[in-house]
Amino acid sequence: MPSQVWLRAASTGWRATGVLWRWGGAIPDRASNTMEMLSVVQARQAEAVGHKVELRGWVRTRRDSKGGFSFVELNDGSCLGNIQVIAEKNLPNYESEILHLSVGSSVIVRGEVRASPAKGQATEVLAETITLVGTADPENYPLQKKQHTFEFLRTIAHLRPRSNTFGAVTRVRNCICRSIHNFFQERGFFWVHPPIITASDCEGAGQMFRVSTLDPAKPPLKEGQIDYSQDFFARPTFLTVSGQLEAEIFACSLGKVYTFGPTFRAENSNTSRHLAEFWMVEPEMAFFDLNDNMDLAEAFLKRVFGDVLTQCDEDMRFFEQRIEPSARTTLEGIVNSEFRRLSYTEAVDLLIKSGQKFEFPVAWGTDLQSEHERYITEQVFKCPVILYDYPRQIKAFYMRVNDDDRTVRAMDVLVPRVGEIIGGSQREERLDVLEARMREMHLDPTAYWWYLDLRRFGTVPHAGFGLGLERTVQFVTGMANIRDVIPFPRTPGIADF
RNA sequence: UCCCCGAUAGCUCAAUGGUAGAGCAACCGGCUGUUAACCGGUUUGUUGUAGGUUCGAAUCCUACUCGGGGAGCCA
């Protein structure tokens, strides 16, 4: 009974030490006769030798020896590696069950951790009992002991977390999220929660998903138009595309804040770098200018990458070996280097003088193309690059206008392979300039009365940026397609699972 | 949304107008402190869907669906 096992495990005190143990803390210094419930990552440590343990997980593969025993590779998701379980033929269910354990079946193993006499693993578990919990019919179980394409794994999104790659992605993604929170929390930022459902329909960041409870077959009409006054919120509402404006509200009260949650874009984008639902981190800081913003973005990325390197070493070595040979070395290089900072104008000059042939021409005043950004970050500097001070006509209304009147205090952080990973700016804090900019971009200032109030009452310079979580996971792991770094990707035409 | 490429066994792929195959997996047997185990044997098909051309179509044509690469938009 799982509940009994749980109680017994709790009484041995492993829960109190488990977390420390996992991250390099001490393993209990006694080889007790009491059964301890361990994860595979714990049982694989040499310090676990001599402990009586219970392990629970899924069979990855089985190898039988006519010498009278079987090797069962057990994985429980706690780490990339499996624990090798030795099942001898004197086990009562050896013939009936263990010899038929197939890939994907779930088992509970009790036994003693021993030093492994063979190469390939530090420890192994000599089973005293193996309880079959759930079978997985090998004729029908889709996951095999071989490499699958990511396209195929996407069609079995409910089973792909059991694959090595997706398990590693999930652990690294979790590490990145923990690191994000730690970074901000340690620096006195408050995590704020802007609404998912918003009434702002023109935040300037692309097409939005409509939220409505009206019957699409027969919506209430008023003068030929849909009457949203009869909708749930008595007005048109949408899924948020960004929590930035709300974050500004809290930054102008609490100083330093960040949002971290899902955002939505209804763009018909079919690329390996876009999702309709993705997670975004948006810090916003009062009294920060663009230089402070760039400093923070750089320190932030270095912290996250550094944490992944130290906390996900096994997974990162897997990505290096199987997915992207430069995955680890790229991160190591970044943690110990300085990001290259370059104004938009300097970047345009550099591109024009490079003599490089581009499909699209480079000209001051137009947005840089993917090929231009890639050339700068991959060919010229071979490291993250921060571009700043973009032409005002290609950037959003809320970005602070420079004294030259031609550029705004915007910044993009570009990284190799992925491109733009962070976009941010210093915000326009001058009421008259902001209103003029809104009219220039044909936005109605009255719809943003609350946003303008922040400039009317105790306005302060402030700045912030947005980081795409999935692009960060992509960059860190080297995974080529963004659909393979989020559990259940949403893209045009696809909302399975 | 645009351009290019693709869809064949459970999976990865061959077969370029003339009888649909291999590797892996699965199953059976052998061997082994093994470790992507190894060796031998067996089973597996509405060739993405719908039309068309042809004596004959996996193969050529059209439309659609899905996937990949690139572009635009962006995180």
Side-chain angles (χ1 to χ4, degrees), chain A residues 61-299:
Chain A
T61 177
R62 186 195 83 243
R63 296 178 295 274
D64 304 319
S65 167
K66 279 296 180 293
F69 55 94
S70 294
F71 301 96
V72 178
E73 296 273 346
L74 190 71
N75 187 283
D76 66 356
S78 60
C79 62
L80 181 75
N82 308 319
I83 187 85
Q84 177 167 281
V85 177
I86 313 299
E88 299 191 316
K89 66 180 172 190
N90 58 8
L91 293 174
N93 59 344
Y94 185 76
E95 293 283 339
S96 61
E97 289 183 330
I98 292 170
L99 276 180
H100 303 102
L101 280 181
S102 59
V103 178
S105 6
S106 48
V107 294
I108 296 177
V109 175
R110 292 182 179 186
E112 183 180 331
V113 180
R114 308 191 312 183
S116 179
K119 285 182 180 171
Q121 58 279 320
T123 66
E124 62 188 27
V125 170
L126 178 62
E128 289 164 13
T129 68
I130 295 182
T131 308
L132 176 60
V133 178
T135 58
D137 177 10
E139 294 282 355
N140 296 309
Y141 188 60
L143 281 174
Q144 299 172 7
K145 267 190 306 189
K146 56 172 277 191
Q147 286 197 329
H148 292 287
T149 61
F150 296 125
E151 294 80 37
F152 171 69
L153 289 173
R154 267 175 237 148
T155 68
I156 50 167
H158 58 308
L159 295 173
R160 71 174 179 165
R162 298 187 188 184
S163 67
N164 283 332
T165 303
F166 208 78
V169 164
T170 303
R171 285 182 296 271
V172 168
R173 183 181 168 111
N174 172 72
C175 176
I176 289 171
C177 293
R178 179 176 56 227
S179 183
I180 287 168
H181 279 299
N182 286 347
F183 175 84
F184 288 123
Q185 293 290 330
E186 288 164 13
R187 287 170 181 244
F189 284 65
F190 297 104
W191 182 23
V192 298
H193 305 112
I196 302 285
I197 299 171
T198 173
S200 310
D201 64 349
C202 45
E203 295 179 20
Q207 293 292 309
M208 305 179 82
F209 288 100
R210 183 179 292 282
V211 176
S212 174
T213 54
L214 296 178
D215 181 356
K218 45 178 189 337
L221 297 176
K222 190 175 178 184
E223 293 165 9
Q225 301 287 310
I226 294 177
D227 181 13
Y228 285 106
S229 70
Q230 295 186 45
D231 204 347
F232 186 90
F233 294 106
R235 62 191 298 175
T237 49
F238 307 87
L239 294 180
T240 183
V241 295
S242 164
Q244 179 200 315
L245 303 189
E246 291 87 351
E248 285 187 51
I249 292 175
F250 280 83
C252 293
S253 314
L254 301 178
K256 292 186 289 188
V257 302
Y258 67 107
T259 72
F260 189 4
T263 50
F264 308 86
R265 304 278 165 90
E267 299 283 358
N268 191 4
S269 294
N270 287 292
T271 82
S272 55
R273 304 181 311 282
H274 288 86
L275 291 166
E277 175 178 341
F278 64 99
W279 281 57
M280 192 152 62
V281 182
E282 293 178 291
E284 191 72 35
M285 299 74 64
F287 301 102
F288 267 49
D289 65 17
L290 191 69
N291 284 323
D292 300 326
N293 207 21
M294 289 193 273
D295 290 344
L296 186 80
E298 182 168 344

Side-chain angles (χ1 to χ4, degrees), chain A residues 271-403:
Chain A
T271 82
S272 55
R273 304 181 311 282
H274 288 86
L275 291 166
E277 175 178 341
F278 64 99
W279 281 57
M280 192 152 62
V281 182
E282 293 178 291
E284 191 72 35
M285 299 74 64
F287 301 102
F288 267 49
D289 65 17
L290 191 69
N291 284 323
D292 300 326
N293 207 21
M294 289 193 273
D295 290 344
L296 186 80
E298 182 168 344
F300 172 63
L301 288 177
K302 286 177 176 174
R303 165 64 183 276
V304 170
F305 297 159
D307 282 352
V308 170
L309 284 171
T310 56
Q311 296 172 13
C312 298
D313 184 59
E314 185 189 24
D315 290 321
M316 285 309 298
R317 287 179 191 281
F318 172 81
F319 287 118
E320 178 180 46
Q321 235 173 27
R322 292 306 221 3
I323 305 294
E324 169 58 56
S326 68
R328 268 178 74 244
T329 51
T330 301
L331 295 188
E332 285 166 353
I334 290 173
V335 169
N336 301 311
S337 73
E338 286 207 356
F339 290 14
R340 193 59 190 258
R341 300 184 188 184
L342 206 63
S343 74
Y344 167 89
T345 303
E346 289 169 324
V348 168
D349 283 348
L350 181 155
L351 288 165
I352 290 173
K353 286 177 184 160
S354 71
Q356 183 79 11
K357 290 275 183 218
F358 294 110
E359 189 184 344
F360 294 91
V362 182
W364 200 97
T366 61
D367 226 342
L368 295 179
Q369 302 289 319
S370 290
E371 57 174 340
H372 305 144
E373 296 179 343
R374 224 181 304 126
Y375 178 77
I376 291 171
T377 183
E378 290 174 7
Q379 304 294 320
V380 181
F381 298 114
K382 297 178 169 59
C383 73
V385 175
I386 307 181
L387 297 183
Y388 60 92
D389 285 352
Y390 281 76
R392 62 186 287 168
Q393 66 266 28
I394 59 172
K395 287 295 182 181
F397 73 93
Y398 50 73
M399 297 183 177
R400 192 181 198 280
V401 179
N402 275 309
D403 292 341

